[in-house]
Amino acid sequence: AASERDCKGYDALCDYFVTKERIGFFSAKDASVVTYFIPPVPAFLGPLGLPADTRYLTAIQMPAAGQVVAPSH
């Protein structure tokens, strides 16, 4: 984080997701992707095949509904 204030905000967001047992998501109105924020909770990370021993939020971007992703070469 860029500052102590940023750290406190990040910690508060992470604590919120953990205590409420929720994930978060963001998608701008015209965005082609949705970003999911997954707290460091093994019950959320394990089923996704992600390491469950992290202390950080994990962000995953996925195509928004109706979007097609071109294969990478």
Side-chain angles (χ1 to χ4, degrees):
S3 69
E4 186 175 331
R5 181 179 174 199
D6 291 340
C7 288
K8 288 180 182 180
Y10 173 85
D11 289 345
L13 179 64
C14 193
D15 288 345
Y16 171 81
F17 287 140
V18 170
T19 59
K20 297 291 185 179
E21 297 182 349
R22 295 184 179 176
I23 63 168
F25 73 94
F26 172 79
S27 179
K29 223 176 192 183
D30 58 349
S32 61
V33 296
V34 175
T35 303
Y36 292 92
F37 300 96
I38 305 163
V41 175
F44 294 150
L45 296 167
L48 297 172
L50 298 170
D53 60 350
T54 183
R55 298 179 314 149
Y56 303 102
L57 288 173
T58 300
I60 298 177
Q61 287 189 322
M62 299 186 65
Q67 298 294 321
V68 176
V69 176
S72 60
H73 299 292

